[in-house]
Amino acid sequence: MAENKQDKKKHYISAKESRQIAKENSKAIKYYEKRKKRKCNPDEYTTQMTDERNIIEFEDLHTYFFSDAGTVKAVNGVTFSIPAGSTVGVVGESGCGKSVTSLSLMQLVQAPSGQIVSGAIRFRSSLFKRDAHGKKIPVYETVIDQNGNEVVKTDAKGKPVIKRNELGGYTYEMEERVVDIAKMPIEDMRSIRGREISMIFQEPMTSLNPVFTIGNQLDEVGRLHIEGISKQKVKARSIEMLKLVGIADPEGVYKKYPHELSGGMRQRVMIAIALLCNPKLIVADEPTTALDVTIQAQILDLLREIKGKINGSIMLITHDLGVVAEMADYVVVMYAGKVIEMGTAEDIYDRPLHPYTIGLQKSKPTVDAEVDELYCIPGFVPNPINMPDYCYFRDRCEKCTAKCSGEYPKLIKVSPTHSVSCYLYEEQSEEK
């Protein structure tokens, strides 16, 4: 009885503590919201990649939610990278921080309670060049005049004609720049989100607006991100994308509402919206959730095919290890807001090291094996408000040692491609 009372006391917050939490939350939220809404020179968030082969790098990312009960550390020091042209699978139990990591990348964390507190998200971006007045610099069409000189082409009114790009919009001078998304103001992030990084959301029925047609929702993306595109061209582009994702009657679907489509069709529409501007990076947040097995296979084949066509990269978030095995080049395993193991798909599937990764694989049902009862990892995830100082998996681990009660284990390299956060593999560390 005494133990039960103590447990209840641990989760009890007095009125004084509640007021103190609210005061601290208010102060923190004001600071981070002000930082996001500031106007600044792009040099403030310009940075450099640690490896030129990467398209994106997460470094010691912390994303917190300031709740009435305390600060929830949803992402608590995540570090990994996505090489250009590759697919990286992020796996783990529900609530481990996968989706919050992707929302941090898109600057779509639910504000004001959710905020990127610290860390870096470096992205290789193509930004518009600006003149002295801060306006985009257009690229004009040229013609050869009677004297054989190259001159700017003009229209009937004598105005210079801006060159059109492959999507049908105006062409502007661009510059490649590595930006830190965690430091970018929201206003500047809008030029990247949707154009260079796009997201396929987890549930298409809640992501598509039920009161607008599919065509309206596709066209909106084109009008926002492809400047100067005509109504006819944006409609043609939308129908082209519906064809690309394998919809049999794109003209008919263009006129329909989301509720008139099946789950698989809605997911294809979400993919079409994400791909409309030929992004460099696609963030797929559980794109096969709630779909039957045959539709899942079609969606995965489609993502693979499209990745090749646009020469892009994919960050695939899922808890389905079968999907990751089929799609990913590299795998990142997350637990309680931290990366606990990462490596190539072969490293994680053929040579899993962390007891949590091994437990995840053992809990996956298989067709060829006769099992009376599926394996279940014992215990519970620690409270995200009061995280312990030691390894978060210690109380659930079957291989726990005395060292596990010490400080949280660092991520150590056991091979050039394979890293793990566990004291069991200290002796195998490459550094040693």
Side-chain angles (χ1 to χ4, degrees):
M1 284 293 288
E3 283 183 13
N4 287 340
K5 282 182 181 178
Q6 282 179 354
D7 287 342
K8 282 181 181 179
K9 268 191 172 182
K10 266 197 271 182
H11 301 290
Y12 173 76
I13 296 173
S14 67
K16 186 180 177 182
E17 286 173 324
S18 182
R19 285 194 297 272
Q20 182 62 28
I21 288 168
K23 188 179 176 182
E24 288 172 4
N25 286 354
S26 178
K27 187 179 176 182
I29 286 167
K30 277 181 184 175
Y31 169 74
Y32 294 117
E33 283 295 300
K34 188 178 177 182
R35 191 175 70 167
K36 284 196 295 186
K37 291 172 184 175
R38 78 193 190 282
K39 288 188 177 181
C40 68
N41 191 298
D43 292 338
E44 277 190 41
Y45 51 78
T46 300
T47 182
Q48 287 185 326
M49 287 285 189
T50 55
D51 188 339
E52 291 301 314
R53 293 170 296 180
N54 295 332
I55 185 109
I56 200 138
E57 293 175 349
F58 294 88
E59 186 179 339
D60 197 27
L61 178 67
H62 291 77
T63 302
Y64 297 167
F65 289 88
F66 298 98
S67 74
D68 294 338
T71 303
V72 178
K73 298 178 179 180
V75 174
N76 194 15
V78 163
T79 302
F80 70 92
S81 56
I82 300 175
S86 67
T87 300
V88 173
V90 183
V91 298
E93 289 173 305
S94 294
C96 70
K98 307 185 298 294
S99 292
V100 177
T101 302
S102 68
L103 291 171
S104 301
L105 165 61
M106 300 294 289
Q107 276 203 15
L108 290 174
V109 178
Q110 187 66 53
S113 61
Q115 300 288 344
I116 298 170
V117 172
S118 64
I121 307 172
R122 293 186 286 271
F123 174 64
R124 192 182 302 284
S125 175
S126 297
L127 297 178
F128 295 105
K129 280 188 178 179
R130 306 274 177 173
D131 61 17
H133 303 290
K135 292 183 179 179
K136 299 173 192 172
I137 304 170
V139 176
Y140 296 108
E141 284 190 35
T142 56
V143 290
I144 305 297
D145 65 5
Q146 294 174 346
N147 301 322
N149 299 320
E150 191 177 13
V151 295
V152 174
K153 185 180 178 181
T154 55
D155 59 15
K157 293 180 181 178
K159 290 183 179 179
V161 177
I162 301 175
K163 200 174 182 181
R164 297 277 175 174
N165 58 31
E166 61 198 23
L167 300 177
Y170 294 144
T171 302
Y172 294 94
E173 288 186 28
M174 309 294 287
E175 60 177 335
E176 190 172 275
R177 188 183 285 225
V178 178
V179 297
D180 186 350
I181 289 171
K183 291 178 183 173
M184 280 184 93
I186 291 175
E187 198 61 41
D188 294 359
M189 181 62 194
R190 283 179 184 143
S191 68
I192 291 176
R193 189 198 299 131
R195 183 176 65 88
E196 294 194 278
I197 309 174
S198 61
M199 189 164 183
I200 303 165
F201 291 95
Q202 192 166 347
E203 178 47 64
M205 195 62 229
T206 55
S207 302
L208 292 169
N209 194 321
V211 299
F212 290 108
T213 62
I214 298 300
N216 273 332
Q217 296 180 63
L218 277 159
D219 292 351
E220 184 186 17
V221 178
R223 287 195 301 271
L224 277 172
H225 298 291
I226 309 169
E227 195 174 320
I229 194 168
S230 64
K231 283 185 179 180
Q232 293 79 15
K233 283 189 176 177
V234 81
K235 182 180 178 181
R237 176 68 180 166
S238 297
I239 290 170
E240 182 192 338
M241 294 315 297
L242 290 174
K243 277 183 189 172
L244 181 69
V245 297
I247 289 175
D249 178 23
E251 288 84 1
V253 169
Y254 180 87
K255 296 172 186 174
K256 288 183 178 179
Y257 288 87
H259 71 270
E260 297 179 87
L261 306 179
S262 67
M265 293 272 272
R266 287 197 294 265
Q267 193 63 277
R268 286 169 188 269
V269 169
M270 287 298 301
I271 295 171
I273 289 172
L275 298 173
L276 199 132
C277 297
N278 287 349
K280 290 181 181 179
L281 176 68
I282 304 162
V283 180
D285 188 1
E286 305 206 18
T288 57
T289 299
L291 299 178
D292 60 74
V293 180
T294 52
I295 301 297
Q296 276 189 29
Q298 289 174 16
I299 296 293
L300 294 177
D301 288 341
L302 177 63
L303 280 172
R304 246 196 315 264
E305 185 185 335
I306 285 166
K307 174 180 161 279
K309 281 183 181 176
I310 66 171
N311 194 28
S313 307
I314 297 177
M315 178 179 171
L316 179 66
I317 296 163
T318 182
H319 54 252
D320 189 332
L321 291 167
V323 168
V324 173
E326 190 180 340
M327 286 285 293
D329 303 309
Y330 302 93
V331 181
V332 175
V333 184
M334 286 185 69
Y335 180 76
K338 282 187 177 285
V339 174
I340 57 158
E341 187 170 359
M342 60 183 178
T344 62
E346 289 79 11
D347 288 333
I348 301 300
Y349 282 87
D350 298 340
R351 298 175 293 279
L353 298 178
H354 200 284
Y356 175 68
T357 312
I358 295 165
L360 281 180
Q361 292 202 17
K362 282 165 72 178
S363 62
K364 184 178 177 289
T366 53
V367 179
D368 54 351
E370 286 186 19
V371 182
D372 295 329
E373 193 177 327
L374 274 177
Y375 176 78
C376 177
I377 300 170
F380 300 96
V381 180
N383 184 347
I385 293 172
N386 299 309
M387 297 300 272
D389 298 326
Y390 51 82
C391 174
Y392 298 162
F393 194 64
R394 189 198 74 172
D395 298 332
R396 304 178 71 185
C397 186
E398 295 170 352
K399 298 180 180 178
C400 182
T401 64
K403 265 192 174 183
C404 299
S405 298
E407 63 174 336
Y408 193 92
K410 292 177 181 176
L411 202 65
I412 55 171
K413 272 195 169 188
V414 292
S415 79
T417 58
H418 200 171
S419 301
V420 64
S421 174
C422 185
Y423 282 115
L424 293 171
Y425 303 98
E426 267 191 324
E427 292 178 5
Q428 295 179 33
S429 171
E430 275 201 330
E431 291 171 10
K432 286 196 173 184

